[in-house]
Amino acid sequence: DTEVTQTPKHLVMGMTNKKSLKCEQHMGHRAMYWYKQKAKKPPELMFVYSYEKLSINESVPSRFSPECPNSSLLNLHLHALQPEDSALYLCASSQEGFRNEQFFGPGTRLTVL
Amino acid sequence: GDSVTQMEGPVTLSEEAFLTINCTYTATGYPSLFWYVQYPGEGLQLLLKATKADDKGSNKGFEATYRKETTSFHLEKGSVQVSDSAVYFCALYAGGTSYGKLTFGQGTILTVHP
């Protein structure tokens, strides 16, 4: 299995809702990432987990809360989002050692109303 | 800090034309270099990579050579197809003060017409 899966594919939520994005990989990778991508722009790093521990938080607002329950799963919990948070949210994973290539999932298209 | 500069787009070509997308970088040390492709409505896919000077990455007819003397990693393909229409991102990983972080270029939109 050489893919990263993400659910849901699309999500529409109001500013008072609580929702979660899910990411899963079964490649034995020990680093997992969350990115945010706006249209026609490169991905922006949000969080990095290494060996299930949060190692990088790129000063992301607290309305985004990551969680890594085990080495295969990565969640992003969303609460009280703003319309400007609407974007494509990408998950990625890589082998231990960040010099290795990252494998990206298909993304969740999030719309905040 | 680390940075990647890609040629301005969009790039529009006819099928079977030769493609070059320029990429130059600034980084300390010896970064790993990558080209990613993003098809409409999808995530990023690794197209090719190179980890040391003079390495040539290749995949699906695309090639790029890690040139340390010119700090470049230009993407080339001899004959493009309509199905190559996508956004192409050049990226580097340098470690050090950018530990754990990929640095992306701004992306180049490629459109190939029949």
Side-chain angles (χ1 to χ4, degrees):
Chain A
D1 189 352
T2 59
E3 65 173 3
V4 176
T5 59
Q6 290 188 244
T7 54
K9 193 171 176 62
H10 300 277
L11 179 62
V12 179
M13 58 187 291
M15 290 190 286
T16 58
N17 293 156
K18 285 186 182 181
K19 297 286 185 183
S20 296
L21 309 185
K22 180 178 171 181
C23 172
E24 195 163 4
Q25 57 88 14
H26 295 286
M27 294 179 279
H29 291 173
R30 303 314 299 266
M32 295 186 77
Y33 311 75
W34 279 116
Y35 288 88
K36 173 183 178 181
Q37 187 182 27
K38 291 284 206 179
K40 301 189 193 308
K41 297 290 187 184
E44 300 171 25
L45 184 65
M46 300 174 72
F47 302 103
V48 180
Y49 275 82
S50 178
Y51 290 88
E52 299 154 51
K53 289 186 169 24
L54 182 65
S55 62
I56 296 175
N57 176 344
E58 288 287 273
S59 302
V60 178
S62 59
R63 58 186 183 269
F64 296 91
S65 175
E67 178 196 20
C68 190
N70 60 57
S71 60
S72 301
L73 275 177
L74 188 65
N75 297 320
L76 186 63
H77 302 297
L78 314 173
H79 173 56
L81 295 193
Q82 304 297 310
E84 60 264 28
D85 297 321
S86 298
L88 181 69
Y89 287 83
L90 294 164
C91 174
S93 70
S94 66
Q95 293 176 356
E96 56 188 291
F98 294 112
R99 190 166 286 277
N100 296 294
E101 63 267 30
Q102 293 182 21
F103 291 80
F104 284 80
T108 294
R109 176 73 60 189
L110 174 67
T111 303
V112 182
L113 302 176
Chain B
D2 305 325
S3 67
V4 175
T5 302
Q6 287 182 236
M7 66 186 288
E8 295 282 334
V11 174
T12 303
L13 295 172
S14 297
E15 206 164 26
E16 299 184 5
F18 185 86
L19 168 70
T20 300
I21 301 178
N22 289 339
C23 171
T24 57
Y25 67 89
T26 302
T28 54
Y30 300 90
S32 295
L33 302 174
F34 307 92
W35 275 102
Y36 282 90
V37 58
Q38 187 172 30
Y39 298 103
E42 298 186 10
L44 275 69
Q45 297 177 27
L46 179 70
L47 186 56
L48 50 86
K49 69 172 184 176
T51 57
K52 61 183 189 297
D54 300 324
D55 265 2
K56 178 186 278 188
S58 61
N59 186 25
K60 299 181 183 179
F62 291 89
E63 293 184 340
T65 301
Y66 189 144
R67 301 281 189 206
K68 190 154 179 67
E69 64 276 12
T70 54
T71 61
S72 64
F73 193 53
H74 305 320
L75 182 68
E76 296 182 336
K77 186 176 185 183
S79 175
V80 293
Q81 305 300 310
V82 172
S83 57
D84 294 326
S85 299
V87 183
Y88 292 80
F89 292 99
C90 185
L92 70 83
Y93 179 74
T97 55
S98 300
Y99 183 73
K101 304 176 190 178
L102 268 183
T103 300
F104 286 94
Q106 286 304 300
T108 301
I109 300 171
L110 171 65
T111 303
V112 181
H113 292 298

